[in-house]
Amino acid sequence: MSKFTLALVAGASAAVGAASTAALLGMGSSKKNIPSQTVTTTTTVGTSPTGTAPPLPVPIRRLDDPKAPFVPPVDPAGLFQYGFPGPVNDVRNAASLTSSYDRRTKNPHWVAEHITPASLLMRNGDRRHSAFEEDQAIPEKFRAKLKDYFRSGYDRGHQVPAADAKWSQEAMNDTFALSNMCPQVGEGFNRDYWAHFEDFCRRLTSYYPSVRIVTGPLYLPKRDPVDNKWRVSYEVIGHPPNIAVPTHFYKIIYAEDGKTGGNVSLGAFVLPNDKISNDKPLADFEVPIEAVERASGLDFVSLLPPARRKRLCQEVSCSVIVKEYDQRQKQMTTPPPAKGLPSPSQR
């Protein structure tokens, strides 16, 4: 996909239909009462209900008599007495990441991380001591579950990789919550090209003292070969089907020069959630940040003055280094050392 095509696609809109069947929604003939759960959230629009009666409608002026107030006969905001519909951002602030969760797709909107030369040199975390887990801070009915990925054919793809959080075991454990995961094609992508791309991000700390990265899913339209119209189509996995499989993934890279008010080298990349040949140049996936913003509905650099912006791929060579996944996989599946004994790297 060319950069022009991606920009066009990112700006396109598409209507997505849904088959409202009881089987698809996981609704049986019997209903169970599910206890309500409390979770700290941040609303994106409106104001959350306070438990008090809704305010009276705001008086407006009558056109025939500007001096006489007129009270509308309806109060749409009265809905808030029953609860705030949303949308709601389940914002998570963990040791190694900050994220916003999308309850509709059961994937994150975005996940942000920060890596430095010092953080990558520390080796206090071991992924063999970590385990995938559901995010208990998200209400049960909106939560991605371990069973949803079981035999789905997709990897539980880290958005913030565990390898970026070796500086502490807690930090590494944070990356294994399913709120940091999206369904990703395994062989040829998550275990290969995507992993090489993550390694590229880490290697940037050889040139920059501070690197910030935002990663997330995209659901891009494609042209229907039959009627030539653009449509959004993606698979849904789970039991019942409820986790969207992204069509693409993005990374926004902020490589900071470390100076107060200094320059930031920016890079935006969009990769398809599919097998990618290891000889594919990374630069082929570079896109304008504005294209990712239009496609995701997110804003990444609104507070960064243009004078401080530089293009990352003009500052460094944007290329991946292919590493053998089999060797990494062998290291990851090796049993952890017994407690009290040093790991092989520490001996």
Side-chain angles (χ1 to χ4, degrees), residues 16 101-107 142 219 234 242-244:
V16 182
Y101 183 76
D102 185 344
R103 295 183 174 188
R104 182 178 63 89
T105 63
K106 309 298 188 297
N107 289 321
F142 299 123
Y219 311 89
Y234 53 82
N242 66 111
I243 299 181

Side-chain angles (χ1 to χ4, degrees), residues 20-336:
S20 56
T21 63
L24 183 62
L25 296 177
M27 299 178 180
S29 57
S30 62
K31 297 182 179 179
K32 299 180 180 179
N33 292 324
I34 301 177
S36 61
Q37 300 185 20
T38 302
V39 60
T40 301
T41 59
T42 302
T43 55
T44 56
V45 296
T47 305
S48 59
T50 62
T52 60
L56 293 175
V58 178
I60 60 175
R61 297 293 182 185
R62 290 171 47 181
L63 296 179
D64 57 343
D65 185 2
K67 295 182 179 180
F70 172 71
V71 178
V74 298
D75 176 23
L79 172 70
F80 295 159
Q81 66 185 300
Y82 306 114
F84 180 72
V88 173
N89 286 334
D90 294 286
V91 177
R92 179 185 180 212
N93 288 302
S96 54
L97 59 88
T98 298
S99 65
S100 172
Y101 183 76
D102 185 344
R103 295 183 174 188
R104 182 178 63 89
T105 63
K106 309 298 188 297
N107 289 321
H109 289 290
W110 52 265
V111 188
E113 61 172 314
H114 182 210
I115 56 177
T116 65
S119 72
L120 296 180
L121 285 175
M122 300 174 72
R123 294 290 188 271
N124 299 321
D126 189 332
R127 66 177 298 147
R128 293 172 296 179
H129 293 300
S130 301
F132 292 98
E133 60 182 8
E134 299 173 10
D135 192 333
Q136 300 297 320
I138 297 172
E140 193 273 340
K141 63 182 176 181
F142 299 123
R143 187 186 308 156
K145 299 179 176 63
L146 293 170
K147 66 178 182 180
D148 292 328
Y149 281 89
F150 182 66
R151 292 183 177 177
S152 68
Y154 291 95
D155 285 3
R156 293 166 290 198
H158 286 70
Q159 300 303 280
V160 170
D164 291 0
K166 293 181 179 179
W167 51 272
S168 84
Q169 190 62 50
E170 177 190 0
M172 180 165 288
N173 292 345
D174 288 339
T175 69
F176 279 82
L178 292 188
S179 57
N180 182 45
M181 305 292 160
C182 290
Q184 287 187 326
V185 171
E187 184 178 353
F189 185 67
N190 181 46
R191 309 174 197 173
D192 294 284
Y193 201 93
W194 184 254
H196 307 325
F197 185 24
E198 293 171 335
D199 177 69
F200 163 78
C201 295
R202 287 188 288 272
R203 286 189 287 113
L204 288 174
T205 59
S206 298
Y207 307 96
Y208 301 93
S210 174
V211 177
R212 302 182 189 276
I213 307 164
V214 180
T215 306
L218 291 174
Y219 311 89
L220 297 182
K222 62 180 179 180
R223 192 185 295 275
D224 190 308
V226 177
D227 59 14
N228 211 35
K229 294 182 178 180
W230 292 93
R231 289 186 172 86
V232 175
S233 176
Y234 53 82
E235 186 180 350
V236 183
I237 64 171
H239 306 282
N242 66 111
I243 299 181
V245 179
T247 63
H248 294 73
F249 289 94
Y250 70 84
K251 278 188 184 291
I252 308 294
I253 301 173
Y254 309 74
E256 302 168 336
D257 65 8
K259 301 176 182 178
T260 302
N263 294 325
V264 181
S265 297
L266 298 170
F269 302 85
V270 173
L271 282 66
N273 189 13
D274 204 348
K275 293 183 178 180
I276 301 176
S277 173
N278 283 330
D279 58 8
K280 182 75 170 175
L282 178 60
D284 286 358
F285 298 110
E286 183 191 9
V287 300
I289 290 183
E290 292 78 9
V292 183
E293 291 176 329
R294 288 195 300 269
S296 64
L298 304 173
D299 206 342
F300 297 106
V301 290
S302 61
L303 298 181
L304 181 64
R308 294 178 55 197
R309 304 179 191 180
K310 289 185 174 294
R311 182 182 164 194
L312 179 67
C313 291
Q314 289 181 338
E315 301 292 314
V316 299
S317 174
C318 289
S319 60
V320 298
I321 296 179
V322 177
K323 296 183 178 181
E324 292 297 329
Y325 175 75
D326 291 341
Q327 296 179 2
R328 299 199 314 273
Q329 183 70 3
K330 184 177 180 180
Q331 294 174 351
M332 289 188 292
T333 56
T334 301

